Amino acid sequence: MADVASALLDFSQPMNVELLETTVAVFYGPGTPEQRGAAEKVLKAFQEHPEAWTRVDVILEKAKTQQTKYIALQILESVIKFRWAALPAEQREGIKTYVSNLIIKYSTTSEQDYRSQMTFMNKLNLILVQILKQDWPAKWPNFITDLVTASKTNETLCENSMLILKLLSEEVFDFSRGELTQAKTRELKQTLNTEFRSIHELCMFVLGNTRKTELIKATLTALAAYLSWIPPGYIFEGQLVQALLAMFPQAPFRNVALQCLTEIGQLQMPAEFDSHFASFYRAFTTQLVQILPPNPNVLFIQQAYETGTDEQQVFVQNLGMFYTGFFKHHIQYLETQPAEHEALLLGLNNLVAISYVSDREVLKTCLDYWNVFVADVYTTHCQTTLGAVIGSPGAAGGDGGFSFGSPGAAANGVAGPGMARKLLYIDILKRLRALMINRMAKPEEVIIVEDEGQIIRETMKDTDQLMQYRTMRETLIYLSHLDYEDTENQMLDKLRSQMGGTWSWQALNTLCWAIGSISGSMNEDQENRFLVTVIRDLLNLCEITRGKDNKAVIASNIMYVVGQYPKFLRAHWKFLKTVVNKLFEFMHETHPGVQDMACDTFLKISNKCKRKFVVLQLQEQQPFVAELLDGLTNTIQDLQPHQIHAFFEAVGLMIGAEVDANKREEYLGRLMAPPNNIWAQIIQQATVNREVLKQQDVIKSLQNVLQTNVSVCSSLGDPYLSQMVHMADTMLQLYKFYSEDVTAAISSGGVHAARSSFVKYMRSVKKSILRLIEVFVEKCENEQLLVQKFVPALMGPILGDYASSVPDAREAEVLSLFAAIIRKLKSQMEPEVPQVSWVWMLSIY
């Protein structure tokens, strides 16, 4: 390969195209990795040679493979993008002429040859656009005129010209940032604007004079790239809209024509163009009826999408884009024109039907619009209602001088604008409630993951699904405020339909997620009545449904719903106690997911209702937390470690709500008794034989005890102090023991030992200890105690150990811990800063 490189890089000799093609074949062929790597080095050296561009014409003329030609085009593109200004003027002109002639040559061959080399032609077109970005218009002022003139001589050449025009618009308006100066970008935009008359004439010429499908598609695609910025006169004062609307019903051009219409529909123009947009929308609706029957039911579009071709699915997606784009900018004008209401409602109904298709991106597009639409309807409704109250006689002094909309309109029996909009859209709003209920996204996802031996729960907070839930929840709350009764009726009707034989897991899940999402949107009486009805029906459904799996799904939904209504739970103690006791029963149920659901719901309820559990309730012998602690061991005996951690976190929240310090200490001692017993037994065994601490089951037990303490500390806060005092000494001793063993293992076994499961388990205990101390520091309110006792105790066993350990044995969590300490204590840590800084520098170097 060295001889090949020498020959290819010798620019004093004629270009050996066959040798280059052989090298390219080795690079793309089935050879060994060494052969391909050597070929890659040769090709890279050739491409980067400053004289390589002078060989492009020979390569393109003699090369037989597309890969070799493509490499030549890459060389040419690199010269144009990065060295164009440094080339002499005659060489730049020569390249421009060469590229232009090459495009004409390949575009005027047979159509079959042209289509077989589309990848090559696309690259060649892009190179021409790169030249235009450098030289047009100053050094190539007649480019558009020459292109338009040449395009009228040959249909294939015209089709390629449309591709060039599309690329030019995209490069100038969409992709120019970072490649062109603002002044150059502004100059290109102004020139394109000036020259658009010629481009417009060419497009209209093509649409009126050819029947060639591919050429019409290319023309429409090019137009779509220009319509977002061209002067409005070209759109509404000529025949462009009529031509596009005529193309729209024709199957071969439907999608590209719809893309053009979408660009027009979402334009924002001065108010004098409103009537033009109304006429445009009316004509579009008339044409659409030829494709889609008016007011299709939900299943029609949904089934058509699922069974349709790719083109048909793209049409549904594009139709959704058209409606959302048009309505965002022009719906308010259509609302003021009664003659347009029928077409307006037809479009909104179509958009509701499109919202049911299974594609997530289509739903997201529709939901984003529905969220804006419903919020706007709700806002104007509130403004009108408030305006009627303020403007009515006797309100705010009785002068009636201030209102939103028409003063006192609603009070005088005349619907204000908000009420008129609500009445106009009453059926649309009803269908939207059904959409949100039927397609409600999952609210939150908790996953169980293993992190270096530690089993932890992670809440997925930034998923697309969660963002979708938030959008749907907000929209459904607005819809509920606009008509609570219809929201309630639809939810209860769907729930009863589940009882009537149309039972399905997914339908019940989405319904219960929707029911939970509107918590807090009703007044207390409405919410109480609604929730009692829902729980009663869910319990009846659970009773009549057969199958353990089905009952588990229903039970999890019951727990989810009640967990979403803490206000109701706080107001009804007996119901709250019943729910929690039922959760304790579910904690013994081994059906997949039930125990996780029970623990998560218990944690959620404890967070929202914690005070209720530490106060002595009527007809109770003791506070519920005391009763819970009496049966603690039995309650958690069937739970997995990560579930126990969630349970202890929930009880920590309860104990933290107790205002009596003595009772808090008592409750904390009873809660921590089981893990403390395990801890004490292991420490006692270790005093006799330290090797016990290396047993895997012992390491896991220690880790679980520490994780349990982390959970309690995070939820209980400062009152955790007594438990920390109880564990601190032995905890630091354990840290030292495991640190010494980890350092010894890595020192003798190297990097591979650090990846062994044994070392990972030991490090997991260290990490848990560091995490517990960090959480305690963040929660502790007694800074003097931290400064005088805890921080000095940590300097040697933890910070000193970090400094003395081999690099691969150091825990990054040590730095995180001391960062938390410094954030907490600030200037009080100044005496220790030099030592901490030294250790930090050690970790870097």
Side-chain angles (χ1 to χ4, degrees):
M1 197 56 77
D3 294 339
V4 172
S6 177
L8 288 177
L9 297 176
D10 185 0
F11 283 80
S12 64
Q13 300 297 322
M15 178 67 199
N16 190 338
V17 177
E18 291 184 2
L19 187 60
L20 177 63
E21 289 208 287
T22 302
T23 308
V24 172
V26 172
F27 176 66
Y28 286 104
T32 66
E34 291 78 13
Q35 291 173 329
R36 290 198 299 271
E40 181 183 14
K41 287 182 180 179
V42 173
L43 292 174
K44 187 175 181 182
F46 179 73
Q47 287 179 276
E48 293 176 350
H49 195 283
E51 297 298 319
W53 69 272
T54 61
R55 304 293 179 95
V56 168
D57 56 339
V58 177
I59 297 171
L60 292 178
E61 181 181 350
K62 296 183 177 181
K64 298 177 182 179
T65 63
Q66 289 293 320
Q67 291 98 330
T68 306
K69 291 181 178 180
Y70 200 79
I71 287 175
L73 293 183
Q74 285 180 315
I75 295 170
L76 188 57
E77 182 182 32
S78 177
V79 168
I80 295 168
K81 290 178 72 173
F82 304 115
R83 295 174 53 201
W84 186 254
L87 295 178
E90 61 273 13
Q91 289 184 344
R92 294 200 300 267
E93 287 299 319
I95 292 174
K96 281 163 41 177
T97 303
Y98 174 73
V99 171
S100 300
N101 290 337
L102 203 59
I103 289 175
I104 293 172
K105 172 186 173 183
Y106 282 102
S107 299
T108 52
T109 58
S110 69
E111 184 172 351
Q112 183 178 358
D113 290 343
Y114 172 75
R115 305 224 177 275
S116 67
Q117 302 188 81
M118 281 306 299
T119 303
F120 175 78
M121 287 302 300
N122 287 335
K123 189 66 175 180
L124 202 55
N125 291 337
L126 190 56
I127 288 173
L128 179 62
V129 171
Q130 293 294 342
I131 296 174
L132 291 172
K133 287 162 65 176
Q134 303 278 356
D135 279 11
W136 184 67
K139 298 175 183 177
W140 202 348
N142 298 324
F143 168 73
I144 295 294
T145 304
D146 294 344
L147 183 76
V148 169
T149 302
S151 298
K152 293 181 180 179
T153 63
N154 182 283
E155 286 190 326
T156 309
L157 179 61
C158 184
E159 181 182 338
N160 194 72
S161 297
M162 292 301 176
L163 299 179
I164 293 171
L165 290 171
K166 172 181 175 290
L167 283 173
L168 181 59
S169 177
E170 290 175 344
E171 288 291 322
V172 172
F173 285 90
D174 300 331
F175 310 135
S176 59
R177 181 176 296 179
E179 292 190 8
L180 301 173
T181 63
Q182 291 184 352
K184 182 63 176 178
T185 302
R186 187 163 50 250
E187 179 189 22
L188 291 176
K189 288 181 178 180
Q190 290 173 350
T191 306
L192 264 181
N193 209 341
T194 303
E195 298 276 4
F196 184 73
R197 178 181 294 276
S198 300
I199 299 172
H200 175 262
E201 289 176 357
L202 175 62
C203 292
M204 297 308 296
F205 174 80
V206 171
L207 295 178
N209 292 279
T210 186
R211 293 294 175 267
K212 191 175 179 182
T213 301
E214 294 301 327
L215 176 55
I216 294 175
K217 283 185 175 181
T219 303
L220 293 174
T221 303
L223 264 177
Y226 285 83
L227 288 172
S228 63
W229 55 266
I230 64 175
Y234 286 108
I235 296 175
F236 293 119
E237 294 175 9
Q239 297 300 310
L240 179 59
V241 169
Q242 289 82 348
L244 292 173
L245 288 170
M247 294 284 179
F248 175 50
Q250 301 178 41
F253 316 122
R254 184 170 298 155
N255 281 320
V256 282
L258 184 52
Q259 290 174 6
C260 294
L261 295 171
T262 299
E263 292 292 339
I264 294 173
Q266 59 191 12
L267 291 174
Q268 292 179 273
M269 294 187 183
E272 57 263 27
F273 287 94
D274 285 346
S275 59
H276 291 287
F277 279 106
S279 300
F280 162 74
Y281 178 73
R282 193 185 321 115
F284 172 82
T285 303
T286 301
Q287 295 291 76
L288 181 63
V289 171
Q290 300 179 41
I291 306 168
L292 188 68
N295 293 315
N297 63 44
V298 168
L299 291 178
F300 178 82
I301 290 184
Q302 187 178 7
Q303 292 173 354
Y305 186 89
E306 291 175 356
T307 60
T309 63
D310 290 345
E311 282 285 311
Q312 291 168 335
Q313 291 183 347
V314 170
F315 171 72
V316 174
Q317 296 167 6
N318 289 342
L319 186 59
M321 294 288 288
F322 172 84
Y323 279 130
T324 56
F326 185 87
F327 289 147
K328 278 179 183 177
H329 302 298
H330 306 295
I331 194 170
Q332 291 186 346
Y333 178 77
L334 296 182
E335 290 172 355
T336 65
Q337 307 297 310
E340 309 296 344
H341 285 181
E342 182 180 353
L344 168 60
L345 295 176
L346 176 62
L348 289 171
N349 274 312
N350 286 342
L351 187 57
V352 172
I354 292 170
S355 303
Y356 276 93
V357 302
S358 56
D359 187 273
R360 184 182 290 273
E361 290 303 314
V362 175
L363 176 61
K364 184 177 183 297
T365 299
C366 297
L367 286 179
D368 288 343
Y369 174 70
W370 290 131
N371 182 251
V372 174
F373 169 77
V374 175
D376 189 47
V377 173
Y378 173 71
T379 301
T380 54
H381 174 69
C382 290
Q383 289 174 345
T384 299
T385 304
L386 182 58
V389 172
I390 297 175
S392 63
D399 58 2
F402 176 80
S403 68
F404 297 94
S406 303
N412 294 322
V414 181
M419 185 60 69
R421 294 186 79 195
K422 181 180 175 182
L423 292 173
L424 173 64
Y425 296 130
I426 189 168
D427 289 333
I428 299 296
L429 297 174
K430 184 186 289 288
R431 295 188 66 188
L432 283 178
R433 291 184 192 98
L435 170 68
M436 299 302 154
I437 293 168
N438 285 311
R439 297 216 57 185
M440 181 60 68
K442 190 175 182 180
E444 185 177 76
E445 187 171 1
V446 177
I447 60 173
I448 311 302
V449 297
E450 181 176 354
D451 181 17
E452 295 190 359
Q454 301 182 60
I455 303 299
I456 58 175
R457 300 165 69 254
E458 282 189 1
T459 302
M460 308 299 286
K461 294 183 178 179
D462 298 317
T463 62
D464 289 340
Q465 181 174 269
L466 186 54
M467 294 300 295
Q468 180 180 318
Y469 168 74
R470 289 171 180 166
T471 301
M472 298 184 81
R473 175 180 179 272
E474 183 178 309
T475 306
L476 187 55
I477 287 174
Y478 283 131
L479 290 166
S480 181
H481 283 309
L482 285 166
D483 191 341
Y484 164 73
E485 289 186 3
D486 183 58
T487 306
E488 179 182 352
N489 289 338
Q490 287 204 43
M491 288 180 172
L492 295 178
D493 287 346
K494 186 175 182 184
L495 181 54
R496 286 163 190 148
S497 72
Q498 293 283 302
M499 300 171 65
T502 57
W503 150 260
S504 78
W505 287 16
Q506 182 62 24
L508 185 65
N509 286 339
T510 54
L511 172 61
C512 290
W513 296 336
I515 290 171
S517 73
I518 62 170
S519 171
S521 65
M522 324 167 208
N523 65 46
E524 189 171 349
D525 290 340
Q526 289 174 329
E527 187 169 278
N528 290 349
R529 185 185 71 250
F530 173 64
L531 188 60
V532 167
T533 306
V534 167
I535 298 301
R536 183 195 64 206
D537 288 352
L538 283 172
L539 289 172
N540 290 339
L541 179 62
C542 190
E543 186 176 338
I544 64 175
T545 302
R546 297 188 178 279
K548 196 171 184 179
D549 289 352
N550 293 336
K551 288 182 179 292
V553 170
I554 299 170
S556 67
N557 278 299
I558 293 173
M559 294 303 106
Y560 173 75
V561 169
V562 298
Q564 291 298 107
Y565 286 83
K567 186 166 61 175
F568 178 85
L569 295 176
R570 288 193 295 267
H572 300 83
W573 163 249
K574 288 190 176 298
F575 184 74
L576 171 58
K577 183 179 179 181
T578 301
V579 167
V580 173
N581 283 328
K582 194 67 178 176
L583 288 174
F584 291 168
E585 291 180 22
F586 287 144
M587 290 178 189
H588 299 287
E589 175 57 65
T590 56
H591 183 82
V594 174
Q595 290 174 311
D596 282 325
M597 172 276 302
C599 292
D600 289 341
T601 306
F602 179 52
L603 178 57
K604 185 186 301 182
I605 291 175
S606 297
N607 187 37
K608 299 292 186 180
C609 308
K610 48 184 172 282
R611 182 66 184 153
K612 290 291 178 180
F613 297 111
V614 296
V615 174
L616 182 62
Q617 303 293 335
L618 288 174
Q619 300 179 352
E620 299 289 347
Q621 301 297 318
Q622 59 181 343
F624 183 82
V625 67
E627 182 181 329
L628 180 155
L629 293 171
D630 288 339
L632 176 63
T633 304
N634 180 61
T635 303
I636 65 173
Q637 65 182 0
D638 295 323
L639 295 179
Q640 297 298 311
H642 69 274
Q643 296 162 348
I644 292 175
H645 302 156
F647 184 93
F648 272 70
E649 182 180 350
V651 181
L653 288 167
M654 294 181 187
I655 296 173
E658 175 57 67
V659 295
D660 187 324
N662 293 327
K663 286 186 178 180
R664 267 204 316 267
E665 288 299 315
E666 178 198 342
Y667 294 152
L668 178 60
R670 294 172 63 186
L671 174 66
M672 301 308 296
N676 284 347
N677 289 337
I678 296 173
W679 182 269
Q681 290 172 11
I682 293 174
I683 297 300
Q684 186 177 5
Q685 293 173 14
T687 57
V688 177
N689 180 12
R690 293 184 61 183
E691 294 302 309
V692 168
L693 297 176
K694 296 182 180 181
Q695 296 175 11
Q696 188 169 320
D697 57 338
V698 171
I699 293 175
K700 286 187 175 181
S701 296
L702 288 172
Q703 182 188 329
N704 286 330
V705 170
L706 288 166
Q707 287 290 344
T708 302
N709 277 268
V710 170
S711 298
V712 175
C713 183
S714 64
S715 61
L716 181 58
D718 185 68
Y720 179 80
L721 174 62
S722 60
Q723 174 67 10
M724 175 57 84
V725 170
H726 174 75
M727 295 187 64
D729 290 340
T730 51
M731 194 163 59
L732 292 177
Q733 291 172 18
L734 275 178
Y735 186 90
K736 181 180 179 182
F737 170 81
Y738 282 119
S739 186
E740 290 173 351
D741 272 33
V742 168
T743 299
I746 294 176
S747 297
S748 61
V751 178
H752 295 292
R755 300 193 186 102
S756 68
S757 59
F758 176 63
V759 170
K760 284 184 176 181
Y761 274 120
M762 290 194 295
R763 296 183 80 161
S764 70
V765 176
K766 292 178 64 182
K767 292 175 186 290
S768 296
I769 291 172
L770 293 170
R771 179 59 185 157
L772 176 56
I773 297 172
E774 183 175 342
V775 172
F776 173 71
V777 168
E778 291 171 349
K779 298 292 183 180
C780 183
E781 297 174 4
N782 189 340
E783 294 186 2
Q784 286 301 312
L785 181 68
L786 291 176
V787 172
Q788 295 173 6
K789 291 190 176 182
F790 275 88
V791 172
L794 300 177
M795 299 304 289
I798 292 181
L799 196 63
D801 170 79
Y802 181 91
S804 61
S805 298
V806 295
D808 287 329
R810 292 172 182 159
E811 308 297 344
E813 287 78 4
V814 171
L815 301 179
S816 175
L817 167 60
F818 276 87
I821 292 172
I822 292 171
R823 283 196 303 270
K824 181 78 172 185
L825 301 179
K826 298 182 175 64
S827 61
Q828 299 177 76
M829 276 293 289
E830 286 182 1
E832 310 294 345
V833 166
Q835 186 175 354
V836 176
S837 299
W838 176 76
V839 171
W840 177 73
M841 294 295 291
L842 186 68
S843 69
I844 297 177
Y845 299 104

